[in-house]
mmCIF file of all heavy atoms in Angstrom:
data_model
loop_
_atom_site.group_PDB
_atom_site.id
_atom_site.type_symbol
_atom_site.label_atom_id
_atom_site.label_comp_id
_atom_site.label_asym_id
_atom_site.label_seq_id
_atom_site.Cartn_x
_atom_site.Cartn_y
_atom_site.Cartn_z
ATOM 1 N N MET T 1103 -5.508 -14.041 -83.682
ATOM 2 C CA MET T 1103 -5.877 -13.811 -85.039
ATOM 3 C C MET T 1103 -6.151 -12.245 -85.071
ATOM 4 O O MET T 1103 -5.859 -11.560 -86.090
ATOM 5 C CB MET T 1103 -6.985 -14.708 -85.521
ATOM 6 C CG MET T 1103 -7.490 -14.337 -86.856
ATOM 7 S SD MET T 1103 -6.730 -15.385 -87.990
ATOM 8 C CE MET T 1103 -7.719 -15.191 -89.422
ATOM 9 N N ARG T 1104 -7.049 -11.876 -84.168
ATOM 10 C CA ARG T 1104 -7.524 -10.473 -84.092
ATOM 11 C C ARG T 1104 -6.374 -9.479 -84.037
ATOM 12 O O ARG T 1104 -6.422 -8.485 -84.806
ATOM 13 C CB ARG T 1104 -8.498 -10.336 -83.020
ATOM 14 C CG ARG T 1104 -9.065 -8.909 -82.847
ATOM 15 C CD ARG T 1104 -9.984 -8.794 -81.699
ATOM 16 N NE ARG T 1104 -10.350 -7.455 -81.579
ATOM 17 C CZ ARG T 1104 -11.586 -6.850 -81.687
ATOM 18 N NH1 ARG T 1104 -12.588 -7.773 -81.885
ATOM 19 N NH2 ARG T 1104 -11.943 -5.559 -81.506
ATOM 20 N N GLU T 1105 -5.370 -9.749 -83.247
ATOM 21 C CA GLU T 1105 -4.262 -8.921 -83.109
ATOM 22 C C GLU T 1105 -3.524 -8.913 -84.333
ATOM 23 O O GLU T 1105 -2.979 -7.857 -84.704
ATOM 24 C CB GLU T 1105 -3.361 -9.331 -81.881
ATOM 25 C CG GLU T 1105 -3.993 -9.186 -80.538
ATOM 26 C CD GLU T 1105 -4.907 -10.359 -80.169
ATOM 27 O OE1 GLU T 1105 -4.914 -11.376 -80.816
ATOM 28 O OE2 GLU T 1105 -5.628 -10.256 -79.259
ATOM 29 N N ALA T 1106 -3.306 -9.997 -84.966
ATOM 30 C CA ALA T 1106 -2.590 -9.899 -86.245
ATOM 31 C C ALA T 1106 -3.336 -9.041 -87.352
ATOM 32 O O ALA T 1106 -2.660 -8.201 -88.002
ATOM 33 C CB ALA T 1106 -2.313 -11.419 -86.818
ATOM 34 N N LEU T 1107 -4.666 -9.186 -87.321
ATOM 35 C CA LEU T 1107 -5.404 -8.374 -88.300
ATOM 36 C C LEU T 1107 -5.280 -6.890 -88.022
ATOM 37 O O LEU T 1107 -5.223 -5.960 -88.881
ATOM 38 C CB LEU T 1107 -6.852 -8.822 -88.412
ATOM 39 C CG LEU T 1107 -7.089 -10.076 -89.057
ATOM 40 C CD1 LEU T 1107 -8.481 -10.583 -88.959
ATOM 41 C CD2 LEU T 1107 -6.710 -10.099 -90.420
ATOM 42 N N LEU T 1108 -5.482 -6.559 -86.695
ATOM 43 C CA LEU T 1108 -5.183 -5.159 -86.233
ATOM 44 C C LEU T 1108 -3.840 -4.624 -86.481
ATOM 45 O O LEU T 1108 -3.793 -3.478 -87.035
ATOM 46 C CB LEU T 1108 -5.583 -5.023 -84.785
ATOM 47 C CG LEU T 1108 -6.989 -5.239 -84.413
ATOM 48 C CD1 LEU T 1108 -7.094 -5.240 -82.874
ATOM 49 C CD2 LEU T 1108 -7.753 -4.103 -85.038
ATOM 50 N N GLN T 1109 -2.874 -5.390 -86.501
ATOM 51 C CA GLN T 1109 -1.547 -4.989 -86.806
ATOM 52 C C GLN T 1109 -1.355 -4.775 -88.326
ATOM 53 O O GLN T 1109 -0.730 -3.697 -88.788
ATOM 54 C CB GLN T 1109 -0.433 -6.009 -86.383
ATOM 55 C CG GLN T 1109 0.988 -5.523 -86.618
ATOM 56 C CD GLN T 1109 1.886 -6.627 -86.209
ATOM 57 O OE1 GLN T 1109 1.502 -7.721 -85.731
ATOM 58 N NE2 GLN T 1109 3.176 -6.192 -86.103
ATOM 59 N N ILE T 1110 -1.889 -5.624 -89.118
ATOM 60 C CA ILE T 1110 -1.875 -5.557 -90.596
ATOM 61 C C ILE T 1110 -2.708 -4.154 -91.021
ATOM 62 O O ILE T 1110 -2.190 -3.389 -91.809
ATOM 63 C CB ILE T 1110 -2.471 -6.684 -91.262
ATOM 64 C CG1 ILE T 1110 -1.497 -7.905 -91.042
ATOM 65 C CG2 ILE T 1110 -2.617 -6.605 -92.752
ATOM 66 C CD1 ILE T 1110 -2.043 -9.198 -91.538
ATOM 67 N N SER T 1111 -3.794 -4.036 -90.344
ATOM 68 C CA SER T 1111 -4.744 -2.830 -90.816
ATOM 69 C C SER T 1111 -4.024 -1.676 -90.355
ATOM 70 O O SER T 1111 -4.280 -0.533 -90.939
ATOM 71 C CB SER T 1111 -6.198 -3.098 -90.237
ATOM 72 O OG SER T 1111 -6.073 -3.034 -88.823
ATOM 73 N N ALA T 1112 -3.326 -1.647 -89.267
ATOM 74 C CA ALA T 1112 -2.695 -0.293 -88.841
ATOM 75 C C ALA T 1112 -1.644 0.094 -89.777
ATOM 76 O O ALA T 1112 -1.426 1.267 -89.907
ATOM 77 C CB ALA T 1112 -2.099 -0.531 -87.403
ATOM 78 N N THR T 1113 -0.955 -0.836 -90.491
ATOM 79 C CA THR T 1113 0.102 -0.372 -91.333
ATOM 80 C C THR T 1113 -0.339 -0.402 -92.650
ATOM 81 O O THR T 1113 0.489 0.004 -93.655
ATOM 82 C CB THR T 1113 1.355 -1.411 -91.141
ATOM 83 O OG1 THR T 1113 0.859 -2.794 -91.518
ATOM 84 C CG2 THR T 1113 1.778 -1.468 -89.729
ATOM 85 N N SER T 1114 -1.580 -0.671 -92.985
ATOM 86 C CA SER T 1114 -2.052 -0.698 -94.482
ATOM 87 C C SER T 1114 -2.344 0.732 -94.843
ATOM 88 O O SER T 1114 -2.898 1.495 -94.031
ATOM 89 C CB SER T 1114 -3.342 -1.630 -94.530
ATOM 90 O OG SER T 1114 -3.767 -1.518 -95.776
ATOM 91 N N ALA T 1115 -2.035 1.010 -96.082
ATOM 92 C CA ALA T 1115 -2.422 2.313 -96.731
ATOM 93 C C ALA T 1115 -3.679 2.284 -97.424
ATOM 94 O O ALA T 1115 -3.912 2.660 -98.508
ATOM 95 C CB ALA T 1115 -1.227 2.631 -97.653
ATOM 96 N N HIS T 1116 -4.832 1.565 -96.728
ATOM 97 C CA HIS T 1116 -6.090 1.549 -97.316
ATOM 98 C C HIS T 1116 -6.895 2.886 -97.453
ATOM 99 O O HIS T 1116 -6.895 3.586 -96.459
ATOM 100 C CB HIS T 1116 -6.829 0.454 -96.514
ATOM 101 C CG HIS T 1116 -8.271 0.393 -96.953
ATOM 102 N ND1 HIS T 1116 -8.625 -0.170 -98.226
ATOM 103 C CD2 HIS T 1116 -9.438 0.805 -96.457
ATOM 104 C CE1 HIS T 1116 -9.957 -0.182 -98.383
ATOM 105 N NE2 HIS T 1116 -10.447 0.485 -97.251
ATOM 106 N N ARG T 1117 -7.394 3.207 -98.574
ATOM 107 C CA ARG T 1117 -8.067 4.267 -98.597
ATOM 108 C C ARG T 1117 -9.595 4.040 -98.602
ATOM 109 O O ARG T 1117 -9.993 3.010 -99.061
ATOM 110 C CB ARG T 1117 -7.862 5.032 -99.983
ATOM 111 C CG ARG T 1117 -6.414 5.549 -100.152
ATOM 112 C CD ARG T 1117 -6.255 6.263 -101.447
ATOM 113 N NE ARG T 1117 -6.794 5.556 -102.645
ATOM 114 C CZ ARG T 1117 -6.811 5.919 -103.755
ATOM 115 N NH1 ARG T 1117 -6.309 7.077 -104.103
ATOM 116 N NH2 ARG T 1117 -7.266 5.093 -104.772
ATOM 117 N N PRO T 1118 -10.433 4.963 -98.108
ATOM 118 C CA PRO T 1118 -11.860 4.646 -98.028
ATOM 119 C C PRO T 1118 -12.518 4.667 -99.449
ATOM 120 O O PRO T 1118 -11.884 5.231 -100.404
ATOM 121 C CB PRO T 1118 -12.336 5.846 -97.403
ATOM 122 C CG PRO T 1118 -11.340 6.971 -97.353
ATOM 123 C CD PRO T 1118 -10.144 6.344 -97.490
ATOM 124 N N PRO T 1119 -13.475 3.846 -99.717
ATOM 125 C CA PRO T 1119 -14.097 3.720 -101.132
ATOM 126 C C PRO T 1119 -14.644 5.116 -101.544
ATOM 127 O O PRO T 1119 -14.938 6.135 -100.742
ATOM 128 C CB PRO T 1119 -15.245 2.887 -100.785
ATOM 129 C CG PRO T 1119 -15.486 2.694 -99.497
ATOM 130 C CD PRO T 1119 -14.192 3.130 -98.670
ATOM 131 N N TRP T 1120 -14.855 5.234 -102.910
ATOM 132 C CA TRP T 1120 -15.237 6.562 -103.436
ATOM 133 C C TRP T 1120 -16.635 6.926 -102.823
ATOM 134 O O TRP T 1120 -16.973 8.031 -102.761
ATOM 135 C CB TRP T 1120 -15.296 6.442 -104.921
ATOM 136 C CG TRP T 1120 -13.925 6.382 -105.631
ATOM 137 C CD1 TRP T 1120 -13.250 5.380 -106.133
ATOM 138 C CD2 TRP T 1120 -13.073 7.532 -105.689
ATOM 139 N NE1 TRP T 1120 -12.079 5.729 -106.594
ATOM 140 C CE2 TRP T 1120 -11.868 7.057 -106.340
ATOM 141 C CE3 TRP T 1120 -13.187 8.853 -105.308
ATOM 142 C CZ2 TRP T 1120 -10.686 7.947 -106.616
ATOM 143 C CZ3 TRP T 1120 -12.085 9.738 -105.695
ATOM 144 C CH2 TRP T 1120 -10.934 9.241 -106.219
ATOM 145 N N SER T 1121 -17.457 5.856 -102.524
ATOM 146 C CA SER T 1121 -18.789 6.178 -102.140
ATOM 147 C C SER T 1121 -18.858 6.934 -100.768
ATOM 148 O O SER T 1121 -19.918 7.313 -100.473
ATOM 149 C CB SER T 1121 -19.711 5.021 -102.223
ATOM 150 O OG SER T 1121 -19.111 3.954 -101.265
ATOM 151 N N ASP T 1122 -17.832 6.884 -100.036
ATOM 152 C CA ASP T 1122 -17.709 7.647 -98.916
ATOM 153 C C ASP T 1122 -17.380 8.937 -98.785
ATOM 154 O O ASP T 1122 -17.550 9.818 -97.838
ATOM 155 C CB ASP T 1122 -16.759 6.875 -97.793
ATOM 156 C CG ASP T 1122 -17.175 5.466 -97.173
ATOM 157 O OD1 ASP T 1122 -18.419 5.223 -97.528
ATOM 158 O OD2 ASP T 1122 -16.420 4.881 -96.863
ATOM 159 N N GLN T 1123 -17.047 9.521 -100.040
ATOM 160 C CA GLN T 1123 -16.652 10.766 -100.197
ATOM 161 C C GLN T 1123 -17.899 11.715 -100.278
ATOM 162 O O GLN T 1123 -18.910 11.293 -100.841
ATOM 163 C CB GLN T 1123 -15.778 11.070 -101.505
ATOM 164 C CG GLN T 1123 -14.540 10.229 -101.633
ATOM 165 C CD GLN T 1123 -13.636 10.584 -100.633
ATOM 166 O OE1 GLN T 1123 -13.429 11.741 -100.184
ATOM 167 N NE2 GLN T 1123 -12.747 9.740 -100.122
ATOM 168 N N ALA T 1124 -17.784 13.062 -99.724
ATOM 169 C CA ALA T 1124 -19.049 13.841 -99.693
ATOM 170 C C ALA T 1124 -19.485 14.271 -100.988
ATOM 171 O O ALA T 1124 -20.699 14.651 -101.197
ATOM 172 C CB ALA T 1124 -18.613 15.048 -98.770
ATOM 173 N N TRP T 1125 -18.660 14.372 -101.981
ATOM 174 C CA TRP T 1125 -18.881 14.965 -103.246
ATOM 175 C C TRP T 1125 -19.578 14.038 -104.291
ATOM 176 O O TRP T 1125 -20.063 14.315 -105.395
ATOM 177 C CB TRP T 1125 -17.659 15.677 -103.963
ATOM 178 C CG TRP T 1125 -16.465 14.691 -104.029
ATOM 179 C CD1 TRP T 1125 -15.475 14.605 -103.123
ATOM 180 C CD2 TRP T 1125 -16.254 13.676 -105.090
ATOM 181 N NE1 TRP T 1125 -14.607 13.650 -103.620
ATOM 182 C CE2 TRP T 1125 -14.972 13.091 -104.735
ATOM 183 C CE3 TRP T 1125 -16.875 13.470 -106.279
ATOM 184 C CZ2 TRP T 1125 -14.488 12.179 -105.631
ATOM 185 C CZ3 TRP T 1125 -16.230 12.472 -107.094
ATOM 186 C CH2 TRP T 1125 -15.082 11.846 -106.751
ATOM 187 N N VAL T 1126 -19.498 12.683 -103.910
ATOM 188 C CA VAL T 1126 -20.061 11.630 -104.916
ATOM 189 C C VAL T 1126 -21.501 11.780 -105.077
ATOM 190 O O VAL T 1126 -21.886 11.665 -106.237
ATOM 191 C CB VAL T 1126 -19.676 10.259 -104.391
ATOM 192 C CG1 VAL T 1126 -20.385 9.175 -105.138
ATOM 193 C CG2 VAL T 1126 -18.131 9.987 -104.426
ATOM 194 N N GLY T 1127 -22.327 12.075 -104.090
ATOM 195 C CA GLY T 1127 -23.783 12.101 -104.349
ATOM 196 C C GLY T 1127 -24.128 13.309 -105.202
ATOM 197 O O GLY T 1127 -24.788 13.049 -106.190
ATOM 198 N N PRO T 1128 -23.693 14.575 -105.079
ATOM 199 C CA PRO T 1128 -24.012 15.524 -105.999
ATOM 200 C C PRO T 1128 -23.425 15.351 -107.407
ATOM 201 O O PRO T 1128 -24.092 15.763 -108.396
ATOM 202 C CB PRO T 1128 -23.388 16.884 -105.452
ATOM 203 C CG PRO T 1128 -23.209 16.515 -103.950
ATOM 204 C CD PRO T 1128 -23.137 15.079 -103.868
ATOM 205 N N VAL T 1129 -22.242 14.739 -107.537
ATOM 206 C CA VAL T 1129 -21.806 14.472 -108.909
ATOM 207 C C VAL T 1129 -22.565 13.403 -109.560
ATOM 208 O O VAL T 1129 -22.940 13.681 -110.845
ATOM 209 C CB VAL T 1129 -20.316 13.955 -108.737
ATOM 210 C CG1 VAL T 1129 -19.836 13.514 -110.131
ATOM 211 C CG2 VAL T 1129 -19.408 15.106 -108.292
ATOM 212 N N VAL T 1130 -23.034 12.464 -109.006
ATOM 213 C CA VAL T 1130 -23.884 11.419 -109.485
ATOM 214 C C VAL T 1130 -25.286 11.942 -109.919
ATOM 215 O O VAL T 1130 -25.783 11.662 -110.987
ATOM 216 C CB VAL T 1130 -24.046 10.229 -108.549
ATOM 217 C CG1 VAL T 1130 -25.166 9.190 -109.020
ATOM 218 C CG2 VAL T 1130 -22.762 9.390 -108.344
ATOM 219 N N ALA T 1131 -25.829 12.764 -109.069
ATOM 220 C CA ALA T 1131 -27.093 13.531 -109.301
ATOM 221 C C ALA T 1131 -26.899 14.348 -110.672
ATOM 222 O O ALA T 1131 -27.818 14.466 -111.439
ATOM 223 C CB ALA T 1131 -27.646 14.248 -108.143
ATOM 224 N N ALA T 1132 -25.992 15.136 -110.782
ATOM 225 C CA ALA T 1132 -25.689 16.020 -111.785
ATOM 226 C C ALA T 1132 -25.579 15.311 -113.115
ATOM 227 O O ALA T 1132 -26.058 15.593 -114.120
ATOM 228 C CB ALA T 1132 -24.445 16.845 -111.627
ATOM 229 N N LEU T 1133 -24.838 14.059 -112.998
ATOM 230 C CA LEU T 1133 -24.657 13.303 -114.266
ATOM 231 C C LEU T 1133 -25.979 12.660 -114.657
ATOM 232 O O LEU T 1133 -26.193 12.544 -115.814
ATOM 233 C CB LEU T 1133 -23.493 12.300 -113.960
ATOM 234 C CG LEU T 1133 -22.118 12.693 -113.946
ATOM 235 C CD1 LEU T 1133 -21.176 11.525 -113.597
ATOM 236 C CD2 LEU T 1133 -21.669 13.411 -115.174
ATOM 237 N N ALA T 1134 -26.776 12.231 -113.830
ATOM 238 C CA ALA T 1134 -28.035 11.708 -114.104
ATOM 239 C C ALA T 1134 -28.928 12.771 -114.665
ATOM 240 O O ALA T 1134 -29.599 12.463 -115.638
ATOM 241 C CB ALA T 1134 -28.748 11.061 -112.839
ATOM 242 N N LEU T 1135 -28.832 13.862 -114.120
ATOM 243 C CA LEU T 1135 -29.713 15.020 -114.734
ATOM 244 C C LEU T 1135 -29.366 15.379 -116.027
ATOM 245 O O LEU T 1135 -30.150 15.603 -116.938
ATOM 246 C CB LEU T 1135 -29.629 16.285 -113.754
ATOM 247 C CG LEU T 1135 -30.458 17.431 -114.162
ATOM 248 C CD1 LEU T 1135 -31.888 17.043 -114.007
ATOM 249 C CD2 LEU T 1135 -30.179 18.612 -113.221
ATOM 250 N N LEU T 1136 -27.965 15.488 -116.340
ATOM 251 C CA LEU T 1136 -27.435 15.730 -117.591
ATOM 252 C C LEU T 1136 -27.686 14.588 -118.658
ATOM 253 O O LEU T 1136 -28.173 14.928 -119.797
ATOM 254 C CB LEU T 1136 -25.793 15.800 -117.585
ATOM 255 C CG LEU T 1136 -25.151 16.027 -118.851
ATOM 256 C CD1 LEU T 1136 -25.566 17.393 -119.314
ATOM 257 C CD2 LEU T 1136 -23.669 16.001 -118.700
ATOM 258 N N ALA T 1137 -27.743 13.316 -118.244
ATOM 259 C CA ALA T 1137 -28.061 12.175 -119.102
ATOM 260 C C ALA T 1137 -29.564 12.342 -119.383
ATOM 261 O O ALA T 1137 -29.942 12.120 -120.677
ATOM 262 C CB ALA T 1137 -27.807 10.906 -118.428
ATOM 263 N N THR T 1138 -30.414 12.627 -118.428
ATOM 264 C CA THR T 1138 -31.829 12.702 -118.653
ATOM 265 C C THR T 1138 -32.168 13.988 -119.681
ATOM 266 O O THR T 1138 -32.875 13.693 -120.628
ATOM 267 C CB THR T 1138 -32.600 12.967 -117.395
ATOM 268 O OG1 THR T 1138 -32.267 11.836 -116.550
ATOM 269 C CG2 THR T 1138 -33.987 13.103 -117.630
ATOM 270 N N ALA T 1139 -31.527 15.000 -119.419
ATOM 271 C CA ALA T 1139 -31.650 16.208 -120.353
ATOM 272 C C ALA T 1139 -31.214 15.966 -121.809
ATOM 273 O O ALA T 1139 -31.912 16.251 -122.690
ATOM 274 C CB ALA T 1139 -30.810 17.355 -119.847
ATOM 275 N N VAL T 1140 -30.231 15.108 -121.955
ATOM 276 C CA VAL T 1140 -29.604 14.735 -123.277
ATOM 277 C C VAL T 1140 -30.746 13.828 -124.028
ATOM 278 O O VAL T 1140 -31.106 13.919 -125.136
ATOM 279 C CB VAL T 1140 -28.290 14.081 -123.242
ATOM 280 C CG1 VAL T 1140 -28.017 13.458 -124.612
ATOM 281 C CG2 VAL T 1140 -27.223 15.185 -122.955
ATOM 282 N N ILE T 1141 -31.306 12.818 -123.224
ATOM 283 C CA ILE T 1141 -32.209 11.978 -123.857
ATOM 284 C C ILE T 1141 -33.495 12.612 -124.149
ATOM 285 O O ILE T 1141 -34.002 12.446 -125.187
ATOM 286 C CB ILE T 1141 -32.461 10.852 -122.789
ATOM 287 C CG1 ILE T 1141 -31.324 9.937 -122.606
ATOM 288 C CG2 ILE T 1141 -33.748 9.996 -123.211
ATOM 289 C CD1 ILE T 1141 -31.430 8.891 -121.435
ATOM 290 N N VAL T 1142 -33.981 13.550 -123.315
ATOM 291 C CA VAL T 1142 -35.146 14.403 -123.671
ATOM 292 C C VAL T 1142 -35.024 15.269 -124.856
ATOM 293 O O VAL T 1142 -35.834 15.294 -125.658
ATOM 294 C CB VAL T 1142 -35.689 15.194 -122.351
ATOM 295 C CG1 VAL T 1142 -36.658 16.159 -122.814
ATOM 296 C CG2 VAL T 1142 -36.151 14.188 -121.317
ATOM 297 N N TRP T 1143 -33.789 15.802 -124.939
ATOM 298 C CA TRP T 1143 -33.496 16.683 -125.994
ATOM 299 C C TRP T 1143 -33.448 15.944 -127.237
ATOM 300 O O TRP T 1143 -33.962 16.509 -128.279
ATOM 301 C CB TRP T 1143 -32.139 17.420 -125.901
ATOM 302 C CG TRP T 1143 -31.767 18.361 -126.884
ATOM 303 C CD1 TRP T 1143 -32.273 19.484 -127.201
ATOM 304 C CD2 TRP T 1143 -30.665 18.095 -127.934
ATOM 305 N NE1 TRP T 1143 -31.723 19.984 -128.370
ATOM 306 C CE2 TRP T 1143 -30.659 19.111 -128.690
ATOM 307 C CE3 TRP T 1143 -29.691 17.175 -128.064
ATOM 308 C CZ2 TRP T 1143 -29.718 19.277 -129.713
ATOM 309 C CZ3 TRP T 1143 -28.890 17.111 -128.930
ATOM 310 C CH2 TRP T 1143 -28.854 18.268 -129.910
ATOM 311 N N LEU T 1144 -32.964 14.648 -127.345
ATOM 312 C CA LEU T 1144 -32.865 13.790 -128.393
ATOM 313 C C LEU T 1144 -34.268 13.365 -128.944
ATOM 314 O O LEU T 1144 -34.451 13.174 -130.098
ATOM 315 C CB LEU T 1144 -31.927 12.616 -128.313
ATOM 316 C CG LEU T 1144 -30.418 12.913 -128.210
ATOM 317 C CD1 LEU T 1144 -29.651 11.777 -127.798
ATOM 318 C CD2 LEU T 1144 -30.016 13.519 -129.504
ATOM 319 N N LEU T 1145 -35.127 13.214 -128.008
ATOM 320 C CA LEU T 1145 -36.484 12.771 -128.339
ATOM 321 C C LEU T 1145 -37.369 13.950 -128.862
ATOM 322 O O LEU T 1145 -38.453 13.615 -129.406
ATOM 323 C CB LEU T 1145 -37.202 12.112 -127.143
ATOM 324 C CG LEU T 1145 -36.519 10.799 -126.596
ATOM 325 C CD1 LEU T 1145 -37.290 10.357 -125.288
ATOM 326 C CD2 LEU T 1145 -36.728 9.815 -127.717
ATOM 327 N N LEU T 1146 -36.996 15.209 -128.634
ATOM 328 C CA LEU T 1146 -37.834 16.252 -129.120
ATOM 329 C C LEU T 1146 -37.643 16.505 -130.646
ATOM 330 O O LEU T 1146 -36.841 16.212 -131.369
ATOM 331 C CB LEU T 1146 -37.433 17.608 -128.409
ATOM 332 C CG LEU T 1146 -37.851 17.576 -127.001
ATOM 333 C CD1 LEU T 1146 -37.363 18.827 -126.322
ATOM 334 C CD2 LEU T 1146 -39.366 17.431 -126.786
#
C-alpha cells in the first residue's frame, strides 16, 4: 500500500497550500490593518 501511495504521489502535480507561501503572512497582516483602519475611520 505504501509503495502504491508513493508512486501516486511522485506523479501527482500537487501544489503546496497557499498558507505555506512566504508572502501570505504579510498580506494577511496588511489586509487586517486596512480593515481595522477603515472601521476606525467610519466610527470617527
